[in-house]
Amino acid sequence: VVAEGKDIRWFDGRPHVLERAIKANLSIIRAHKADRWGNLVYRGTARTFNATMAGAADVTIAEVDEVVELGALDPECIITPAPYVQRVVTRPSTRVTSWETAC
């Protein structure tokens, strides 16, 4: 059912469904920190699809908790490099005192 209407290629004697790459005109993603160039660091499960969509879109806008000085981010922790990000927007801080208030 999944392969209906799709190209099937054989590798090592096994069939594989050929899928097209994900593509978007615009992605609005969420990250924990960024520097002013747009290098992004994620926290928790935010790494799952945000980094993928940053690379798949023509224009990426990153909403971040904090913008730090250049060089403040550990290069080993940068998941999305600056060339994939066109705009960085700082998220307004909101204080939530309990779970009931957040929902």
Side-chain angles (χ1 to χ4, degrees):
V1 175
V2 175
E4 279 185 27
K6 297 180 183 171
D7 195 12
I8 297 176
R9 302 283 174 97
W10 288 80
F11 296 101
D12 298 324
R14 294 180 56 195
H16 296 273
V17 178
L18 184 64
E19 291 284 353
R20 294 193 174 273
I22 202 167
K23 186 72 178 139
N25 293 327
L26 173 71
S27 67
I28 301 172
I29 62 173
R30 176 90 167 85
H32 178 56
K33 289 183 182 180
D35 61 18
R36 67 181 173 95
W37 283 352
N39 294 305
L40 303 178
V41 173
Y42 300 97
R43 187 170 62 186
T45 58
R47 282 178 70 166
T48 307
F49 292 110
N50 287 316
T52 302
M53 287 311 300
D58 294 330
V59 175
T60 298
I61 301 170
E63 178 189 32
V64 299
D65 293 324
E66 180 182 5
V67 177
V68 298
E69 293 297 320
L70 290 176
L73 298 176
D74 179 3
E76 295 293 324
C77 295
I78 294 172
I79 304 301
T80 303
Y84 293 110
V85 180
Q86 283 69 43
R87 300 284 184 268
V88 175
V89 178
T90 305
R91 181 180 186 185
S93 63
T94 56
R95 289 219 125 132
V96 177
T97 56
S98 69
W99 176 257
E100 293 80 23
T101 308
C103 297

